[in-house]
Amino acid sequence: MRLLSPPVGLPVLSESDLVRQVARRLTDAITRGDLPPGAKVAEAAVARELGISRAPVREAARLLESQGLLCAHPRRGFFVRELSPADIDDLYDLRLCIERHAAVEAARRLDAPARAALRACLDDLYAAAQRDDAARTVEADYRFHRKICEIAGNGRLLRLFDGLATELKVVIGLIGRLYDDPHAIARTHEPVLAALEAGHAERIVAHVDHHLGVARREVGRLVRALSPGPEAP
Amino acid sequence: MRLLSPPVGLPVLSESDLVRQVARRLTDAITRGDLPPGAKVAEAAVARELGISRAPVREAARLLESQGLLCAHPRRGFFVRELSPADIDDLYDLRLCIERHAAVEAARRLDAPARAALRACLDDLYAAAQRDDAARTVEADYRFHRKICEIAGNGRLLRLFDGLATELKVVIGLIGRLYDDPHAIARTHEPVLAALEAGHAERIVAHVDHHLGVARREVGRLVRALSPGPEAP
DNA sequence: TAAGCGTCGATTGTCGACAGTTTCGGCTTG
DNA sequence: CAAGCCGAAACTGTCGACAATCGACGCTTA
């Protein structure tokens, strides 16, 4: 099995905050695609693999359930949440909603270090695209958007973004790649940063809308190409 | 103690979906104010009161932890999350963010039944204000806003709204009342509905902004009046 | 008297166990 | 040959138990 990879060595789990550690292992396995949508998360198997009892596993699963990553069917167990095309639409809709807000707010608070941080994120993005490293490209993309939310200064908004990003990573991991041209992804971020620095609210919203709209269409297209048909949970 | 009220009769809990039931009892107790912010949620005590073992209680607590209602301190237990004035600001900021979005989207999908439903919510609100029933007024207020999110048609956005509303109910319950004039609360919703029916996006956003801005300032004022000073978690 | 320290009770974190249910495979039967 | 039934294995939901840890109380001491 070996789905829940330990960092590297043989020792499986340390002692403190077991539940949190299990939750992280599970989310990693899900975003990595080792636990694909719809897969059953058997508590006993997870517990055995990690060398612990089932109680902490169940608690971790509850954490992920509230987060929307897992879905509990009574008497049947936990399953990795399946995302229908409509779900993905909702996800991107919500993401648009909060990133617009975050971007406008971030522009109001944009100082020199914040600007530099954003620039650094973009540089990472370019570098990853240059190296044709799909995983790192997605990660750098995510970092850029996350940084905007961070600068916006609303901790709850940031947590929300992280949650959405985790769910989106599942589908992105599923389709394997985000764009055909890895460089295009980097370039499409430039107008967003430019608008942020300009500080003009309407232009910010317009560029965020456009940028996310492109991503949404792209992901939607790829997902629809992959999914065989409409599935009802 | 009797903090976790059973609906009415003596039988404490039925058998199925115990975790979900415990979670609901706990959220009810929190929003009702029986478990005030900062209160310790002792698993053993809850389990004893409900006549069950600690395992389901812990799982329910994990659900509420991801929801932001509880806060887990390792080796110390679960505590009802405390909201600083800054937290409340963040909460209202986020609420503004999603309700703007929801309102614009709802306007695009506003058909006859949706319009009627919103009107009905407002009538309930007037009725509750008329009767000077603070709890019902808050509930009707919440229903109106929730209906907008419902009409918007994004299930995830609706869940998010529910989560925010639950957290806000805690502070609202804490301050006891929302407005000095219970009728004013009803009247301030009219322009929002009017803007929705007009379908003009900018006017919708403007009215939502104004409506929520008023609520936010009011709640902020009352909370600041109650809280002794800045508290760092 | 106030501060520091040690002990005791209470609570948490984790475990193994048990009953009830679901699921999977094979077998029977039309 | 397909469909349905039956039994066993595996799994879930819940429980009680035990060790480790935390907080509080009281005692000692400067």
Side-chain angles (χ1 to χ4, degrees):
Chain A
M1 290 291 166
R2 291 272 100 216
L3 287 181
L4 279 27
S5 78
V8 53
L10 285 196
V12 193
L13 282 187
S14 62
E15 75 287 349
S16 116
D17 237 347
L18 206 44
V19 173
R20 215 60 60 95
Q21 289 181 58
V22 175
R24 163 164 265 158
R25 290 276 178 100
L26 286 174
T27 57
D28 284 350
I30 292 171
T31 56
R32 210 184 309 122
D34 291 346
L35 286 174
K40 178 173 170 66
V41 180
E43 344 170 340
V46 173
R48 248 183 321 233
E49 182 166 340
L50 297 176
I52 60 179
S53 82
R54 281 168 44 216
V57 177
R58 283 181 65 89
E59 290 186 31
R62 294 298 184 184
L63 282 177
L64 271 49
E65 182 189 350
S66 267
Q67 247 172 286
L69 272 180
L70 293 184
C71 164
H73 291 239
R75 292 273 170 207
R76 306 232 353 248
F78 293 93
F79 297 81
V80 180
R81 185 100 185 278
E82 290 192 85
L83 295 181
S84 67
D87 278 321
I88 296 170
D89 261 9
D90 284 0
L91 232 38
Y92 265 103
D93 190 54
L94 210 54
R95 187 173 164 191
L96 183 68
C97 166
I98 73 167
E99 285 205 48
R100 268 183 193 163
H101 192 79
V104 171
E105 193 60 29
R108 288 189 349 119
R109 304 175 176 227
L110 199 66
D111 53 8
R115 204 181 325 241
L118 281 176
R119 189 73 248 173
C121 287
L122 254 178
D123 289 343
D124 288 349
L125 184 51
Y126 277 115
Q130 195 77 27
R131 280 183 298 164
D132 243 329
D133 189 336
R136 274 189 200 280
T137 303
V138 169
E139 190 62 26
D141 183 342
Y142 159 72
R143 288 278 165 204
F144 176 80
H145 290 269
R146 185 179 198 278
K147 184 56 85 176
I148 291 176
C149 295
E150 202 179 315
I151 295 168
N154 184 334
R156 261 192 172 67
L157 186 143
L158 185 59
R159 291 194 78 78
L160 178 53
F161 174 84
D162 282 338
L164 293 182
T166 303
E167 289 195 72
L168 284 174
K169 273 183 191 169
V170 176
V171 303
I172 289 174
L174 209 61
I175 61 184
R177 77 208 187 291
L178 204 48
Y179 294 94
D180 298 323
D181 179 7
H183 294 269
I185 189 178
R187 273 197 296 275
T188 56
H189 286 80
E190 285 292 356
V192 175
L193 179 52
L196 268 173
E197 293 184 330
H200 195 296
E202 288 184 31
R203 261 184 53 197
I204 297 174
V205 170
H207 280 295
V208 169
D209 280 16
H210 179 259
H211 175 77
L212 281 181
V214 169
R216 177 190 203 154
R217 267 192 301 278
E218 198 71 10
V219 169
R221 194 174 59 76
L222 292 172
V223 163
R224 259 172 266 270
L226 258 69
S227 91
E231 30 200 341
Chain B
M1 286 294 165
R2 292 270 99 218
L3 287 182
L4 278 24
S5 77
V8 51
L10 286 195
V12 191
L13 282 186
S14 60
E15 74 286 351
S16 112
D17 237 345
L18 206 44
V19 173
R20 213 62 59 95
Q21 289 181 59
V22 174
R24 162 163 264 156
R25 289 276 178 99
L26 286 174
T27 57
D28 284 351
I30 292 171
T31 56
R32 212 185 308 122
D34 292 345
L35 286 174
K40 179 174 169 62
V41 180
E43 335 169 344
V46 173
R48 241 184 325 236
E49 183 165 339
L50 297 176
I52 60 179
S53 81
R54 281 169 43 217
V57 177
R58 283 181 64 88
E59 289 185 34
R62 295 297 184 185
L63 282 176
L64 271 49
E65 181 189 351
S66 266
Q67 250 173 283
L69 273 179
L70 293 184
C71 163
H73 291 240
R75 293 279 172 204
R76 308 234 350 253
F78 293 93
F79 297 81
V80 179
R81 184 97 186 278
E82 290 192 85
L83 296 180
S84 69
D87 279 321
I88 295 169
D89 262 6
D90 284 359
L91 233 38
Y92 265 103
D93 190 54
L94 211 52
R95 187 173 165 189
L96 184 68
C97 165
I98 72 166
E99 285 206 46
R100 268 184 192 161
H101 193 79
V104 171
E105 194 59 28
R108 287 191 347 121
R109 303 174 176 229
L110 199 67
D111 53 7
R115 202 184 323 245
L118 281 176
R119 189 72 247 174
C121 286
L122 254 178
D123 289 343
D124 288 350
L125 183 52
Y126 277 116
Q130 195 77 26
R131 278 184 297 166
D132 244 328
D133 188 335
R136 273 189 199 279
T137 302
V138 170
E139 189 62 26
D141 184 338
Y142 159 72
R143 288 278 165 202
F144 177 79
H145 290 267
R146 186 179 197 278
K147 183 56 86 176
I148 291 176
C149 295
E150 203 180 312
I151 295 169
N154 185 333
R156 261 191 171 66
L157 186 143
L158 185 59
R159 289 196 77 80
L160 177 55
F161 174 84
D162 283 337
L164 293 181
T166 304
E167 288 194 73
L168 284 173
K169 273 184 190 169
V170 176
V171 304
I172 288 174
L174 208 62
I175 60 184
R177 76 205 186 293
L178 204 47
Y179 294 95
D180 298 324
D181 179 5
H183 293 271
I185 190 178
R187 273 196 296 275
T188 57
H189 285 78
E190 286 292 357
V192 175
L193 180 51
L196 268 173
E197 293 185 328
H200 194 297
E202 287 185 33
R203 261 183 55 196
I204 297 174
V205 170
H207 279 297
V208 169
D209 279 15
H210 179 261
H211 175 76
L212 281 181
V214 169
R216 175 190 202 154
R217 269 192 299 278
E218 197 71 12
V219 169
R221 193 174 61 77
L222 292 171
V223 164
R224 260 172 263 271
L226 256 70
S227 92
E231 30 199 338

